[in-house]
Amino acid sequence: MRPRRLRSALTLLGAVATAATLALGPASPATADTQRPAPARQSNTAHGLASVTDLFAQRLLLADKVAAAKYGTDTPIDDPAREAQILTDVRARAAGLGLDPDAVAAVFRDQIEANKLVQRGLYARWDANPGERPTERPDLAKEVRPALDRITTGLLAALRDTERAREVPSCGPRLATAAGWSAYTRRLDALHLEGLGRALPSVCAGSR
């Protein structure tokens, strides 16, 4: 990551952690249940951009199943061919929605890196604590990737709907507040919170 992007990610991560722990209360351990509805009440500041950050959080929680599917196999965390396929697909779909393909690809590239960050963290946790290792191996093709594809469709729509909000100077602090709300409502633990911080840098137009 370029130094500017790294500083941006660290700043946003700190803001997210502050919003999650101080403004909204402590987050309890993460759960892979991405279908759990978030509470209806949201702060006015987080309104709009929370539609983006909540999908980020859902995608990060699915990283648990991706990791469980790969752990102990020859399938690597890094999958350049799959990553390139995703980016090519979202570029084409972004153009169809009237969005900047490069900007959208940057957002999804950050999602991919955030997902891999969580997977590596889980691998390290499971290596150190064998009793926490997954007891079931999800099916990547039939179970996990269709769920990721649904999130991709939702995220493209959310990026379209928040295009103006992501171009204004107040996007950064509003994004951090929205991310803090999503971290709280999705019960993200420290690892997934770090992943959420990594997912944010390309959302606001001024940070790219």
Side-chain angles (χ1 to χ4, degrees), residues 62-80:
L62 277 173
D64 295 41
K65 290 190 174 183
V66 176
K70 294 179 177 180
Y71 186 74
T73 74
D74 293 332
T75 304
I77 289 176
D78 289 278
D79 187 350

Side-chain angles (χ1 to χ4, degrees), residues 11-12 15 43-50 53 162-179 200 203-207:
T11 299
L12 281 168
S43 69
N44 291 333
T45 308
H47 179 70
L49 291 175
T53 58
T162 60
E163 185 174 19
R164 293 184 64 181
R166 294 184 293 105
E167 292 177 346
V168 299
S170 62
C171 176
R174 292 182 64 212
L175 179 66
T177 302
L200 298 177
V203 174
C204 297
S207 65

Side-chain angles (χ1 to χ4, degrees), residues 64-165:
D64 295 41
K65 290 190 174 183
V66 176
K70 294 179 177 180
Y71 186 74
T73 74
D74 293 332
T75 304
I77 289 176
D78 289 278
D79 187 350
R82 170 71 176 170
E83 294 168 19
Q85 180 183 7
I86 292 171
L87 296 177
T88 298
D89 176 61
V90 297
R91 282 178 182 274
R93 295 170 67 180
L97 293 171
L99 296 169
D100 179 352
D102 290 339
V104 169
V107 171
F108 275 89
R109 190 176 293 110
D110 282 344
Q111 306 320 299
I112 291 170
E113 293 304 318
N115 195 283
K116 292 192 291 186
L117 183 155
V118 171
Q119 289 182 58
R120 293 188 183 104
L122 290 171
Y123 273 33
R125 182 184 300 172
W126 296 336
D127 286 345
N129 302 281
E132 297 182 16
R133 293 174 183 174
T135 57
E136 297 181 358
R137 194 179 303 283
D139 189 313
L140 274 178
K142 295 181 179 180
E143 179 183 356
V144 182
R145 285 177 178 166
L148 287 171
D149 290 343
R150 287 192 293 271
I151 291 174
T152 293
T153 297
L155 184 51
L156 285 166
L159 291 173
R160 177 197 61 202
D161 295 341
T162 60
E163 185 174 19
R164 293 184 64 181

